[in-house]
Amino acid sequence: MKIGILGAGSMGGILARHFSRLGHQVSIANSRGPGSLTALAAEIGATPVSVLDAASAGEIVILAIPTKAVADLPRDLFANVPGSVGVIDIGNYHPELRDGRIDAIDRGMLDSQWVAQQIGRPVIKAFNNIFARSLLERGVPRGTPGRIALPVTGDASDAKAVVLRLVEDLGFDPVDGGDLDQSWRQQTGTPAYCRDFDAAALRRALAEADRSRIAEYRAEQEARIRRSMAAQTSER
């Protein structure tokens, strides 16, 4: 499969590494241009390209960039990309730590609904609720006890089916989380967020989430991140 990845940070780089290892044709891009990705691409077997080329290079395109950066993407990024190409949003909105305030999200629009609106394309929400280290190291064969499960939500059934298969290929149990309007259940700080649950526990956690607490979940998670960062700084 041809996969374009926009973003070469921790999560984008790990996905590019895994998909290349699995034999997919991976094109990777960032805001600094393909020249900045030469070494990484050579190491993992990907092709460094421009943002425009990454968006048009794949059967699947992965947005692995901060939420705020979505608004800075070229407005016509997907203008000539066939509708059959699925777009995966792996991002999380962090207003205090990184993204600044996005009014539409703060007023209740879901993270990935806002992303879809910005790019003018449906998106599939996946890979946003697993720590980078777990994504890198903890994929295991199907049937392994305690295998981590990952939710996938979205409205485009064909694209979602492809993403569910990719989750399986990476060594995780895919869980269909419903349409994109249910993606809040895997957003920042929810019971299903970054807990490395197996499939049964993940389904329970998704069901336990309370939509009225979205902002509270996010604020609590950002507070945990700040405490963790402060503890790491004090240990140096």
Side-chain angles (χ1 to χ4, degrees), residues 28-167:
I28 189 166
N30 65 12
S31 60
R32 292 174 293 171
S36 67
L37 295 172
T38 302
L40 173 64
E43 177 193 346
I44 65 178
T47 301
V49 299
S50 69
V51 168
L52 286 170
D53 285 341
S56 61
E59 299 158 72
I60 284 287
V61 176
I62 300 173
L63 301 181
I65 59 178
T67 302
K68 66 178 180 181
V70 172
D72 297 327
L73 292 172
R75 304 308 296 177
D76 60 348
L77 183 62
F78 291 99
N80 298 313
V81 177
S84 59
V85 173
V87 180
I88 306 175
D89 172 32
I90 75 166
N92 291 299
Y93 174 49
H94 288 290
E96 299 296 335
L97 294 177
R98 181 187 62 198
D99 295 313
R101 290 289 173 183
I102 297 174
D103 288 343
I105 298 178
D106 288 341
R107 290 195 302 267
M109 181 177 284
L110 304 184
D111 300 12
S112 289
Q113 289 176 336
W114 182 84
V115 170
Q117 182 185 76
Q118 296 302 302
I119 67 172
R121 293 287 291 258
V123 301
I124 304 298
K125 186 77 165 185
F127 302 115
N128 74 297
N129 72 320
I130 182 171
F131 286 121
R133 185 164 184 172
S134 294
L135 182 63
L136 178 64
E137 300 177 350
R138 298 197 61 189
V140 294
R142 181 188 302 180
T144 302
R147 193 188 199 206
I148 296 172
L150 298 180
V152 178
T153 56
D155 301 328
S157 58
D158 289 347
K160 183 161 68 171
V162 171
V163 179
L164 288 165
R165 289 197 299 271
L166 289 175
V167 170

